Amino acid sequence: MIDGILSILVVLNGLFPMYRGQEYAFVRAESTVEGGSYRNIYDPALSVKSSLGAEAVKFTKSLMLRGYFNYGYDYGTESRWKGWTDPYETPFMLCDSIPGNISQETYDMGAAIAIPAGKWRFGVDARYRATIFAKHKDLRNKNTRMDVSVAPSVAWCGDKFRAGLSAGYLRNTEQVEYMQVDASTEKYLFRLYGLWLYSSSGFASAENRRYKENSGAFSDFRLEYEDGPLLLRNDFHVRYSYGSQTETGYNNLHYGDTEYLGYSDVLLMRYGAHRLTARWNMNQTLGLRSVQRQELDPDSKIRRWYTYGGLSETYYRQIMAAGGDYSFKKEKWSVSAGMDWTSEAQYYREYPILFSQRLSVLEPHLGGSVRLDAGKKAGWLVLEASAGYRQPLIAVCDDIKVLGGMASEGGEWQLMQPLEEEFNYRSAASVGVGLNANLTLPLPKKGRSLEFRLGVQHRSAVATAVIGRFRTGGTLSVKYNF
């Protein structure tokens, strides 16, 4: 199972020339439903996610080809504060507090090609994703997002040693537009600056749009050594991006810039049935703002925003994570155990006040599976079970200091209720369990089969302010291999 997962990861991270699996083609339909009160502040009370897609890998005498397409439709109830499709991508967000039903459509497609030349392989990977997100209650926001990436790659595949390198360009843009249908009561828009610092104003059509764009680069580097039952594999990934947020008009209003740098590494050691995986990642996000003032343009007689001075760093977030897993896999059964550690620190400075938040959690987990065969023609059933526990080590929600002075209260600066609600969810001790049943039915024609997957997940908070809350979900998927 792990080897199969890692082969798929090679396909997904831009190193398609290192793919050593077989040809395949499939179509898959999947739906996930979950609900419950143990949820993050951006999550809907009830969520339904559905997808339909196809994927294939094909070999010819001189080419390796891969392509995929996936359509997703998500629906949720009672969603709040979600002004971007990914609220954690940037500290600056335009949003509202009114709960409402939401929908999201995603069109995801990509293609990769690799050309073998002896032991060398050269390839390129291209991907495109379009997302439309909307809330269906005033204030109504509609988000339109585009993600695109292109990554050339090269690999050397020897008998025992293999190496691959890819480097690519990425870009994404997103625009959010707010509108109000019922004007009988005044609605408020909030502008967030990190750690729930904010300003707000009554809704006005001249202030209902924001545009965000990011550009960057990424690289993946893989080394492999395999000799009989021994396999050593290391994957290293780095990503950098820089983005800016502006008003989608002509008035030069600048909300802030975001700079991101991240590193990650995964090491796999396998010997026969024994597998050991170690991983770590570190990333940091900077938020930068400028001083602006609105002035009347003498030529056009239109008020525009003018920038004074350069950008200054106001927000900083650093996330460090490390973990590992051990598994023992036989043909009919497997067991696994692992541990993950995550530490996050956030800071926002509105001189002379410094706001900070710190969180560190430890997550041990166990898993196992058993395979039940009914004969080569009748198929087989794989049952998987997992359990995990989440324990906070450090949890400081809102530490406020005056630089060079005493502590201060931050209530007039921050939205305290959503700040505490989000932190209580993220810092709560919780226990989770999952059970999956995977049924494979071979079809008469060679190479064709049907796969059915039914999964159930449950997580309950066992401490802090959200004790007793839980969230339960289920997944059903059907896959046709041909």
Side-chain angles (χ1 to χ4, degrees):
M1 178 63 73
I2 291 179
D3 283 344
I5 292 174
L6 291 172
S7 294
I8 293 173
L9 288 176
V10 174
V11 176
L12 296 179
N13 67 6
L15 284 174
F16 181 60
M18 293 195 72
Y19 178 71
R20 295 186 295 122
Q22 298 178 344
E23 290 184 340
Y24 64 84
F26 66 80
V27 294
R28 176 170 55 197
E30 183 173 286
S31 183
T32 299
V33 180
E34 66 173 24
S37 57
Y38 181 52
R39 58 185 176 117
N40 200 356
I41 192 167
Y42 304 112
D43 295 334
L46 175 67
S47 171
V48 181
K49 298 181 179 182
S50 302
S51 65
L52 176 65
E55 183 176 330
V57 167
K58 178 70 175 178
F59 302 144
T60 68
K61 292 183 179 180
S62 57
L63 291 175
M64 301 167 57
L65 303 170
R66 174 184 179 252
Y68 70 90
F69 175 82
N70 188 78
Y71 169 75
Y73 182 83
D74 303 342
Y75 181 81
T77 64
E78 301 300 303
S79 178
R80 306 162 293 156
W81 297 108
K82 194 173 182 182
W84 294 125
T85 55
D86 180 2
Y88 292 104
E89 188 176 43
T90 171
F92 310 118
M93 184 164 62
L94 182 69
C95 57
D96 75 289
S97 62
I98 301 170
N101 297 343
I102 58 171
S103 64
Q104 178 172 296
E105 289 187 81
T106 305
Y107 302 85
D108 198 4
M109 63 195 75
I113 184 172
I115 303 173
K119 292 187 177 182
W120 289 94
R121 294 180 181 180
F122 303 90
V124 63
D125 183 288
R127 308 178 197 184
Y128 175 82
R129 174 181 291 180
T131 305
I132 301 173
F133 171 81
K135 182 160 75 78
H136 306 287
K137 183 177 180 180
D138 291 353
L139 290 170
R140 302 169 186 243
N141 60 301
K142 179 181 178 181
N143 294 54
T144 306
R145 175 167 176 144
M146 179 274 297
D147 293 81
V148 63
S149 68
V150 179
S153 56
V154 60
W156 190 87
C157 300
D159 296 332
K160 295 183 179 181
F161 177 77
R162 294 173 288 272
L165 175 66
S166 70
Y169 167 79
L170 61 90
R171 177 174 172 80
N172 66 68
T173 63
E174 185 172 356
Q175 177 175 296
V176 57
E177 299 179 77
Y178 274 88
M179 66 175 292
Q180 183 175 355
V181 176
D182 177 16
S184 61
T185 59
E186 187 175 31
K187 308 294 193 304
Y188 285 87
L189 276 176
F190 293 85
R191 291 168 288 276
L192 303 184
Y193 304 106
L195 284 177
W196 294 94
L197 278 86
Y198 77 105
S199 64
S200 65
S201 61
F203 177 80
S205 60
E207 302 172 0
N208 66 344
R209 299 171 296 171
R210 185 178 293 202
Y211 180 74
K212 173 170 64 74
E213 59 179 344
N214 289 277
S215 296
F218 62 93
S219 181
D220 293 281
F221 179 57
R222 163 170 283 198
L223 293 173
E224 289 184 5
Y225 177 80
E226 187 172 16
D227 186 6
L230 174 65
L231 172 65
L232 299 176
R233 176 181 293 165
N234 190 82
D235 285 282
F236 178 76
H237 175 82
V238 60
R239 172 174 173 163
Y240 172 82
S241 64
Y242 192 94
S244 185
Q245 294 183 37
T246 59
E247 181 80 9
T248 56
Y250 51 81
N251 58 7
N252 300 326
L253 181 56
H254 177 234
Y255 295 104
D257 289 0
T258 302
E259 185 175 15
Y260 173 88
L261 178 63
Y263 306 90
S264 64
D265 191 82
V266 178
L267 173 65
L268 168 69
M269 295 173 284
R270 184 202 70 191
Y271 189 85
H274 302 273
R275 291 168 172 83
L276 181 64
T277 304
R279 55 188 172 273
W280 67 269
N281 72 73
M282 180 177 68
N283 64 72
Q284 62 181 21
T285 303
L286 299 180
L288 306 108
R289 298 181 65 196
S290 58
V291 177
Q292 287 197 304
R293 186 171 67 188
Q294 194 176 44
E295 299 178 1
L296 183 66
D297 184 81
D299 297 324
S300 64
K301 305 303 180 181
I302 296 175
R303 289 193 173 273
R304 298 187 179 184
W305 292 89
Y306 291 86
T307 302
Y308 294 88
L311 292 168
S312 60
E313 180 186 324
T314 58
Y315 174 83
Y316 176 77
R317 179 180 68 212
Q318 178 174 279
I319 299 175
M320 294 184 292
D325 299 284
Y326 168 78
S327 66
F328 184 82
K329 178 177 173 60
K330 302 295 285 186
E331 183 180 358
K332 299 288 187 179
W333 58 274
S334 69
V335 293
S336 65
M339 182 86 70
D340 288 289
W341 167 81
T342 304
S343 176
E344 177 181 315
Q346 297 186 75
Y347 302 90
Y348 188 89
R349 183 177 68 244
E350 193 75 34
Y351 194 82
I353 301 179
L354 178 66
F355 303 82
S356 65
Q357 183 181 95
R358 297 180 298 279
L359 177 64
S360 177
V361 296
L362 195 65
E363 299 181 76
H365 49 86
L366 298 170
S369 68
V370 60
R371 172 170 166 163
L372 305 174
D373 287 317
K376 292 184 178 181
K377 295 184 178 181
W380 57 90
L381 175 68
V382 177
L383 300 176
E384 301 172 336
S386 62
Y389 178 73
R390 193 170 190 266
Q391 175 62 46
L393 304 177
I394 300 173
V396 179
C397 176
D398 195 30
D399 186 21
I400 305 171
K401 295 180 180 178
V402 177
L403 299 178
M406 301 295 291
S408 173
E409 297 294 331
E412 69 275 16
W413 295 81
Q414 298 169 285
L415 293 167
M416 298 304 297
Q417 189 276 330
L419 171 73
E420 294 173 354
E421 181 180 342
E422 179 189 36
F423 190 78
N424 287 338
Y425 166 81
R426 299 180 65 232
S427 64
S430 62
V431 59
V433 294
L435 179 64
N436 297 315
N438 307 280
L439 176 64
T440 301
L441 299 176
L443 297 178
K445 192 170 182 178
K446 184 178 180 181
R448 299 194 177 188
S449 64
L450 279 174
E451 295 181 22
F452 300 90
R453 179 182 178 88
L454 177 63
V456 178
Q457 302 82 37
H458 177 86
R459 179 164 289 273
S460 295
V462 295
T464 70
V466 294
I467 186 171
R469 296 187 183 184
F470 64 88
R471 195 164 181 87
T472 302
T475 300
L476 175 64
S477 70
V478 181
K479 181 180 178 182
Y480 172 54
N481 300 290
F482 59 96

